[in-house]
Amino acid sequence: KNLISSNITTNKPIELKKAEWNEIDIIDKKEDKEVKQNKNATIVIEKAQPQVNINTLKNKAFSAVNLKEYEIAIKLYKQILEKNQQDNYSKLALATCYQNLKQYGQAKTLYLDLINIFPNNDKIISNLFSIMINDSPYEAVYLLPQLAERFNYSDKIQFQLSIAFSKVKNYTKAVKYMKEAIAIDPTNVVYLYNLAVLYDKMENYPSAQATYKLVLKNIETNNNSVLPYNKINNRTRDRRCHKPLLYQLSYFCHQWQY
């Protein structure tokens, strides 16, 4: 049998000459296509799909991210990028969804692409650094200072450098870079909290407790609910803290505006 067409898109039924198409049988019928056949040939009729508004897709994807339904968001952002490959916001959002699911390879590829477009965007650079730190911290502490210099130092980059050196237990350098992050943005209570944690890890308990108290004062003054007040308050009362963890902050897509 001869294939007449495998890609006919229409909103209306195709008119066929009776002489050519006697005894047509519908052998397959789905939502997106019909396959019709007679003894001479087969024809595939693909039905035109309704156009979905791209802003509707973006809103759905944005809502999925806020609900932490990252797999759903990934599907939606992929649909958006199929329609517009130059939509860099959606590309960033897709990268951060992959990062949230710890699918670092896919996220890293997208971030590297975005850095070529936005070489001075410290949020993108910071997220890329975060992936490198999680993947290979020893390699990260070697590469990140060079990359940081290339992409201009910022508080977010200094913060990631501090996290990297903490991962390899080089707390002296970790404190150095965290202090530099605080010098650039002294209002960031997360940086201050991490500095206190680093002092804990170095067993410099007087400095740790003094810094925790500064964190509590910041929370009280600015009504900041990012960090757990009661847990930090308990740490100021103990001579030493038990296995403190660094509070790692990344800039995910729900903080960006359309």
Side-chain angles (χ1 to χ4, degrees), residues 14-31:
I14 293 178
E15 296 182 3
L16 300 169
K17 295 179 181 179
K18 291 183 179 179
E20 297 176 2
W21 285 91
N22 293 323
E23 299 178 0
I24 296 175
D25 294 320
I26 297 175
I27 61 173
D28 189 16
K29 186 173 183 178
K30 297 179 180 178
E31 289 185 3

Side-chain angles (χ1 to χ4, degrees), residues 27 39 44 47 84 90 94 96 102 119 136 227 247 249:
I27 61 173
K39 63 182 180 180
V44 179
K47 300 177 182 178
N84 180 12
S90 293
L94 179 59
T96 56
K102 297 183 179 180
S136 178
L227 299 171
Y247 186 95
L249 182 68

Side-chain angles (χ1 to χ4, degrees), residues 88-123:
N88 292 312
Y89 168 80
S90 293
K91 195 176 290 185
L92 172 63
L94 179 59
T96 56
C97 287
Y98 279 131
Q99 187 172 1
N100 273 304
L101 292 175
K102 297 183 179 180
Q103 296 179 21
Y104 296 130
Q106 294 94 321
K108 187 176 179 180
T109 299
L110 289 166
Y111 285 136
L112 289 171
D113 186 24
L114 287 164
I115 277 181
N116 290 327
I117 302 169
F118 306 107
N120 296 316
N121 188 303
D122 54 5
K123 294 180 180 180

Side-chain angles (χ1 to χ4, degrees), residues 19 60 115 162 171 175 258:
K60 287 182 178 180
I115 277 181
S162 177
Y171 299 125
V175 165
Y258 285 116

